[in-house]
Amino acid sequence: MKADQIIPVLRIFDYQKALEFYRDWLGFEVIWEHHFAENTPVYMEIKKENIIFHLSEHHGDGTPGSRIFIWGEGIVGYYKKLTEKPYKYNNPALEKAFYDAVCFQVYDPFGNVIIFNEKYDEIEHKDLEFYSIH
């Protein structure tokens, strides 16, 4: 079997809060939205480059508190861009993970967590300041 695309479905509870977090802060674009009728829950697709999520207000679609782990490139630049934007509900910290990665986590308003990871490079990342709980 070969998967062409994997699209996580994340449970949301508030359309406006979802837009504020995913579109306005993280920089995703809304590709499409679906409602079965007027004044019914939304099911929508959002995208940022090759990352695609489905967000659903429907009961039973996804579990609040899900975690999504993303490997990529340019994570440090993206982190810096995010931390320069005013978003009062998140203050991510750059970390060096035990699995040899530079990473940071963001928490959406519904308890879901997205972990952005980039392979640690001793030359490229040598001057970074990392958050440490020790």
Side-chain angles (χ1 to χ4, degrees):
M1 183 187 102
K2 176 186 174 269
D4 291 326
Q5 180 75 50
I6 299 167
I7 303 174
V9 178
L10 299 173
R11 181 76 157 94
I12 63 171
F13 301 105
D14 183 303
Y15 175 79
Q16 289 302 325
K17 288 279 187 203
L19 290 180
E20 181 181 286
F21 179 79
Y22 286 101
R23 185 191 64 196
D24 301 343
W25 189 51
L26 292 183
F28 281 76
E29 68 175 298
V30 176
I31 304 301
W32 51 260
E33 297 181 7
H34 177 265
H35 295 267
F36 285 107
E38 189 175 328
N39 199 31
T40 60
V42 68
Y43 189 94
M44 60 198 284
E45 181 173 283
I46 61 171
K47 179 179 181 179
K48 180 169 183 55
E49 297 175 18
N50 67 337
I51 302 168
I52 298 174
F53 297 148
H54 285 185
L55 305 179
S56 178
E57 288 181 312
H58 292 272
H59 177 76
D61 279 358
T63 303
S66 294
R67 298 176 72 83
I68 298 177
F69 189 99
I70 298 172
W71 278 108
E73 296 177 6
I75 297 301
V76 174
Y78 184 51
Y79 165 81
K80 289 176 180 176
K81 184 177 176 182
L82 286 180
T83 55
E84 291 172 356
K85 286 182 176 182
Y87 184 71
K88 66 182 180 180
Y89 301 111
N90 267 254
N91 186 21
L94 204 56
E95 300 177 53
K96 182 169 184 304
F98 68 90
Y99 47 87
D100 205 28
V102 174
C103 65
F104 70 94
Q105 300 181 48
V106 295
Y107 299 80
D108 83 1
F110 320 105
N112 301 304
V113 181
I114 305 167
I115 309 158
F116 294 96
N117 298 270
E118 177 175 340
K119 187 76 175 156
Y120 180 76
D121 180 287
E122 288 187 27
I123 296 169
E124 183 181 348
H125 300 132
K126 68 179 170 58
D127 295 327
L128 293 176
E129 291 185 33
F130 296 110
Y131 171 77
S132 175
I133 58 174
H134 304 286

